Amino acid sequence: NKVHRYFPDFWVKKRNRDGKVETVVVEIKPKAQTQPPKVKTKVTKKYIDEVKTWGINSSKWQYATKFCEERKWKFQILTEDDLGIK
């Protein structure tokens, strides 16, 4: 069983509107990588890479979510849409 290390893009402690301190683990990814690839009839290298990327990312995010929930932290994925990048 291979162990992988995961480093999120940001780990933020902030004070929310209630005045409570909140910890947020933030991952920034292109929007295309946050959704499963569309099934294609022709299997290309690009499609295989998209499937692999989706598998890796979704696995990381599953465990990051669990890790954060255990600590009462929030896990958030941001895309170019969230950041106002076109």
Side-chain angles (χ1 to χ4, degrees), residues 8 10-13 21-26 64-76:
F10 297 97
W11 178 82
V12 179
K13 278 183 113 170
V21 175
E22 178 179 56
T23 301
V24 184
V25 174
V26 180
T65 299
K66 182 179 177 187
F67 180 86
C68 288
E69 285 173 354
E70 290 170 354
R71 287 155 181 81
K72 306 234 186 299
W73 296 353
K74 181 178 177 185
F75 178 68
Q76 185 174 17

Side-chain angles (χ1 to χ4, degrees), residues 6-65:
Y6 170 64
F7 298 96
D9 293 310
F10 297 97
W11 178 82
V12 179
K13 278 183 113 170
K14 65 178 186 168
R15 192 169 305 279
N16 65 22
R17 293 180 187 198
D18 305 6
K20 295 180 183 175
V21 175
E22 178 179 56
T23 301
V24 184
V25 174
V26 180
E27 181 71 27
I28 299 174
K29 286 288 182 206
K31 186 176 182 178
Q33 290 184 13
T34 64
Q35 303 163 359
K38 294 185 173 113
V39 176
K40 300 187 179 173
T41 54
K42 185 176 179 185
V43 176
T44 62
K45 181 178 179 335
K46 181 181 177 197
Y47 177 70
I48 291 169
D49 289 344
E50 289 172 359
V51 170
K52 180 181 174 187
T53 298
W54 169 250
I56 291 168
N57 285 343
S58 60
S59 180
K60 284 180 189 179
W61 299 334
Q62 176 185 355
Y63 288 100
T65 299

